[in-house]
Every structure is written in structure tokens, then in C-alpha cells.
Amino acid sequence: MVGICDANNFYISCERVFNPALNGRPAVVLSNNDRCIIARSNEAKAIGLKMGQPIYQVRDTLRTYNVALCSPNFPLYQDMSDRMQAILKRFAPTIVYSIDEAFLDFRGFDPGKLDALGHTISRTVRHSTGLPVSIGIAPTKTLAKIASKLCKKYPKLNGCCLMHKAEDIEKVLKKFPVGDVWGIGPRYEKMLNAAGVNTAYDFTQMPPQWVRKKMSVVGLRTWKELRGEPCIEIDEIAPDKQHICTSRSFPSEVSDFDMLHTAVASFTATCAEKLRRQKSVCGELYVFIYTDWHKEQSQSFERRIVKLVTPTDSTLELTAMAADALRQIYRSGFGYKKAGVILGDISPRTGVQVSLFDPIDRGKHSRLMSVMDDLNRKQGRGTVGVAAGRHKLLETVHEHLSRQFTTDINDILKVKAKD
DNA sequence: TCTGGGGTCCTAGGACCC
DNA sequence: TCTGGGGTCCTAGGACCC
């Protein structure tokens, strides 16, 4: 048996832990620059606010229902996530799946005791972190996901839903919309509905050859999992990333080369930091800049891939190459709305083949980088860097930011004694 | 006026090789 | 009229996840 522990409305719940005034009212967390909705409380869902919806489209609703707005506070969410995962690990081998979810490996556990254990875990996380979670337990990961969704829908389940008897599972699947199944997105949902497949149960009754043909081996795995055959493996040790990306939309259009350069340099530095954290090097650097694609008039979507002779993790080298690439794709007269950097062709740092006429002192670079990473880790991000300064106009706007309640000593809540 | 920011895997088709 | 066959690698595009 396998379990999934999924935090309910995770970002919102994190905000609520430190700001109880948000309880019971519609609240949303916004994307960078407070542009669109990326998380919603149940109350916000109930009044029809949608994931990814731009704020300007729902101004009236926000006002009418007095919706609380929160700018994204990712350091807080990550810290709360770490706390949740630490608690889960006390009960069963845990595989972190995303910031708000983890799988629990219940193989070898007594199935008769799992319901009670699941409830204990749910209660413990709630008490120790303040986060409400939904735990689903079933023979496969896909079924466990369904169980955890039931948990959210039916509060009387009290934070844990165990699904293991074949007839119970069948009963659930017959009512479960196929589009809500993990692994079936909007495209496949449409295709399946058109073929008369509306519930998860309908899907399990389709011939495997048909599923394979229409949805490839990925769809077939989902089909098998729904029929109780585990076949989605998730690695215990998070594999190294194959691509590392940093990109942002700008608060307003940017047409000045130096400003773009500053942005691209800082994205590259962030990417390189992530790369060094996983002890890898990259062999490829990709830089892109977009104009606003919503506008009718002429657009520009430019990108350049640079292949490296010798793979590297040096911010110095990468920022220099990114600047060259940017110089090649930049065109004056355009207002750019978004830019980004992607590192690819990633491999472990050990075993780098240095080319014969390598002009770079790699030892020196790597000593410099590790001093830099160290300082940034201890003194906070952005303490030292090689980026070309900062521009006020590029800074992300966060009008409704909560404080760093758990990670900054100055922001820790103070308890006042009543006299 | 205004639309997020990360990732994964799979497949088909073209280039190229022998 | 007739136009090999098998393999690899790369890329773009399409689907999905949170």
C-alpha cells in the first residue's frame, strides 16, 4: 500500500498559520508582480475564482467578496514544507513529490492498522505545523491520489481516506470524473469524453491497445494503476535536474539593452547557483526574450542556444556567454515583457573533460564560486554576486507580502503576555 | 493597461551512417 | 518500370504535473 499526504490549499494554509484573520474568508495568493491567482482558499474557489486567472479580470469579484490578497512568499512556503516533510518521515519512508505533497511507503505495514496510522499522521502534522493535510492510502499511487481528493471533499473523513477493497474502489471510480485522475489533463479529458469515457471506471474498461494507441505508454500506466497494478515509480532520491530554468515577466516593458542585460545576468547567476547546489555542470546555455504576445502588433520571440566546449558551473563564464547571446538576439525598438535562461546538457561535476587548450583557470573559478555560495547561504540570498547591479524597474512588485515568519529572526512573531 | 514559473516524459520525423 | 534496410542521434512538439 502507498499513501500520499497532500496539504490542503497549501500556500493559503501557510499564510493562515501566521495570519488567522484570513481564516474563514476568501483568500488568494498571487503570482510575482501580483498579476494572477496561483492559489485559492475554499471560499475563493466557491465564488468562482480560477487558477491562473489575471487579477484585472476579477477586480469586481475581489471587491464584492472582500477577498484577501497575498503576494507570494516562497521562502515561507518552502520552510513550512520542510517542516511537514520532517514530521512525515517519523512515520514511514517518505518520498517528497512537490512542495505540498509527499508519498508514504506503506509496504510491509499491517493494512488493518493503516487507517488509524493515517489519521494519526494527519493530526500530528496539523498540530505541529498548523497545516491541514489530506492523506489518501490505496494499492497504487494513482488510486491514493483519488483517495486524498475524496478526503478534501468529505470533511467527515477527518484527514485520511483508506481505499483498499476492490468493490469499494470500483464504487469510487464509477463516480470519479476521468479528467480528475492524476495524469489525465484537459486534452485527454476532452478526447476521452468524446469517446464516451466519462468516469475513471469507464476508462478502466477500455481495451489496453486502444489506450496505448491514443495516450502512449504514459496513459497505459495510468490505466493499469487505476486497475490496481502499481507501475508508477517515484525515486526515493530526487534525481538531478536535466534542465534548470530561471525566467520572469517584467513589471513593465523593457527596451533598454543594459536593463535586459542586468536581468539576464541575474537569471544566469540564479541558474548557476541551482546547478552548483546539485553538483552538476552544464554543456548548454539557452537565452530567450519575448515581447508581449497578447498584443496585435509585431512581436518578437528570440532565443539563442550556446553550446559549451567545456561544461561548466561557473557564474563568471556563464554570465559572459549569456551576455553574448543576448547581444545577438536583442533588437532595439521592441518592448520586452519577459526573459529567461535555461541550462541544459547537464552532467555530474566529476569527470569533466577539459579541452586541450582550455584558457580558463577552473580551479580559481571554483574556489571563488564556493566562497560566494557560502556567503549567500549564510548571509541571505543576493549578498554577493557578479551581476551587473540592479534596476529598480526590474524589481518584482509585491504589494501584499507577508513576513518571513519562520526564516528571518526579525520577522518572528512576538507573543505579548496579558497582564 | 493587465495573463506565473518551474519541471517531467514520450513520440514522430529528419539527418546521417554503414 | 524500377528507388534497400537497419540503426542511432537529435530536435520539435505535445502531453502532463504542481
Side-chain angles (χ1 to χ4, degrees):
Chain A
M1 298 287 275
V2 60
I4 174 118
C5 173
D6 191 336
N8 306 348
N9 311 327
F10 181 62
Y11 294 171
I12 297 289
S13 298
C14 290
E15 297 286 346
R16 280 179 168 171
V17 168
F18 298 95
N19 183 1
L22 297 176
N23 286 329
R25 62 181 281 210
V28 296
V29 173
L30 307 173
S31 64
N32 279 325
N33 301 313
D34 298 337
R35 276 226 187 81
C36 60
I37 296 172
I38 61 167
R40 303 158 295 158
S41 70
N42 287 343
E43 298 81 1
K45 290 175 190 169
I47 56 175
L49 293 172
K50 300 270 179 272
M51 187 75 173
Q53 201 164 31
I55 291 302
Y56 76 92
Q57 283 178 2
V58 291
R59 290 248 181 255
D60 290 345
T61 314
L62 298 179
R63 220 180 352 253
T64 309
Y65 293 92
N66 188 26
V67 176
L69 307 179
C70 307
S71 299
N73 189 342
F74 294 111
L76 175 70
Y77 310 150
Q78 186 59 58
D79 185 64
M80 292 299 283
S81 173
D82 294 344
R83 287 161 195 250
M84 176 176 91
Q85 313 286 2
I87 291 164
L88 297 179
K89 286 199 176 85
R90 307 211 302 249
F91 293 96
T94 299
I95 299 144
V96 176
Y97 177 64
S98 73
I99 192 160
D100 67 334
E101 282 170 290
F103 285 103
L104 296 158
D105 184 354
F106 288 134
R107 278 176 302 186
F109 283 57
D110 178 355
K113 294 183 177 160
L114 282 179
D115 189 58
L117 178 62
H119 281 98
T120 305
I121 299 175
S122 176
R123 221 168 26 242
T124 309
V125 173
R126 176 88 209 216
H127 283 172
S128 311
T129 63
L131 296 171
V133 296
S134 297
I135 295 179
I137 306 174
T140 68
K141 297 189 174 76
T142 306
L143 289 171
K145 278 277 210 179
I146 290 176
S148 94
K149 285 200 179 182
L150 291 186
C151 222
K152 288 184 188 174
K153 197 168 161 198
Y154 302 107
K156 66 174 182 194
L157 286 171
N158 245 327
C160 177
C161 170
L162 171 68
M163 216 166 69
H164 72 303
K165 278 194 285 182
E167 60 264 35
D168 292 345
I169 294 176
E170 189 177 312
K171 218 187 286 171
V172 167
L173 295 192
K174 281 186 170 161
K175 285 200 212 145
F176 201 82
V178 72
D180 291 351
V181 171
W182 187 43
I184 297 180
R187 297 293 173 101
Y188 282 151
E189 179 184 24
K190 213 171 146 198
M191 183 277 290
L192 288 168
N193 290 163
V197 175
N198 295 302
T199 66
Y201 178 80
D202 295 342
F203 184 57
T204 62
Q205 299 308 298
M206 297 303 279
Q209 304 80 359
W210 185 87
V211 175
R212 166 71 237 244
K213 196 168 141 230
K214 295 280 190 179
M215 303 166 69
S216 88
V217 298
V218 182
L220 193 59
R221 279 203 284 265
T222 300
W223 181 85
K224 287 182 182 169
E225 285 246 327
L226 285 174
R227 296 167 60 102
E229 181 188 338
C231 51
I232 297 180
E233 283 309 319
I234 288 167
D235 283 324
E236 199 141 343
I237 300 183
D240 286 343
K241 303 227 183 299
Q242 299 174 31
H243 294 99
I244 290 175
C245 173
T246 305
S247 72
R248 290 287 177 279
S249 299
F250 301 129
S252 55
E253 291 188 353
V254 174
S255 30
D256 178 57
F257 177 83
D258 288 336
M259 279 178 64
L260 273 180
H261 177 211
T262 305
V264 166
S266 115
F267 299 156
T268 311
T270 306
C271 281
E273 242 181 273
K274 295 182 196 169
L275 186 67
R276 291 193 294 273
R277 206 173 308 146
Q278 69 167 41
K279 300 184 170 37
S280 298
V281 290
C282 69
E284 209 176 79
L285 170 92
Y286 179 105
V287 177
F288 62 85
I289 46 179
Y290 303 166
T291 55
D292 193 339
W293 50 276
H294 302 97
K295 288 195 180 159
E296 297 277 321
Q297 69 257 43
S298 71
Q299 314 265 326
S300 167
F301 169 55
E302 299 294 340
R303 65 260 216 229
R304 174 74 87 238
I305 299 179
V306 184
K307 308 255 183 202
L308 282 65
V309 181
T310 304
T312 186
D313 63 359
S314 158
T315 300
L316 294 174
E317 265 184 274
L318 289 168
T319 43
M321 279 183 285
D324 277 345
L326 178 64
R327 221 163 275 132
Q328 289 171 42
I329 55 180
Y330 169 79
R331 289 187 285 163
S332 61
F334 282 95
Y336 294 99
K337 203 56 190 135
K338 180 171 180 173
V341 171
I342 302 172
L343 304 181
D345 189 15
I346 290 176
S347 57
R349 185 153 62 198
T350 52
V352 171
Q353 282 283 330
V354 176
S355 87
L356 193 51
F357 303 105
D358 191 12
I360 290 172
D361 183 346
R362 285 175 199 281
K364 203 171 179 180
H365 272 211
S366 100
R367 285 192 300 277
L368 178 58
M369 291 301 115
S370 62
V371 169
M372 218 171 74
D373 291 341
D374 248 27
L375 274 170
N376 285 333
R377 201 165 35 238
K378 289 180 190 142
Q379 312 286 322
R381 290 204 53 212
T383 302
V384 280
V386 296
R390 276 163 131 74
H391 274 287
K392 194 92 187 125
L393 290 172
L394 295 173
E395 303 264 322
T396 307
V397 181
H398 286 156
E399 295 268 356
H400 313 278
L401 188 59
S402 48
R403 292 183 278 150
Q404 308 301 327
F405 297 107
T406 60
T407 55
D408 186 328
I409 193 80
N410 299 309
D411 280 349
I412 287 177
L413 291 181
K414 295 179 183 81
V415 179
K416 272 188 200 158
K418 252 177 128 178
D419 40 28

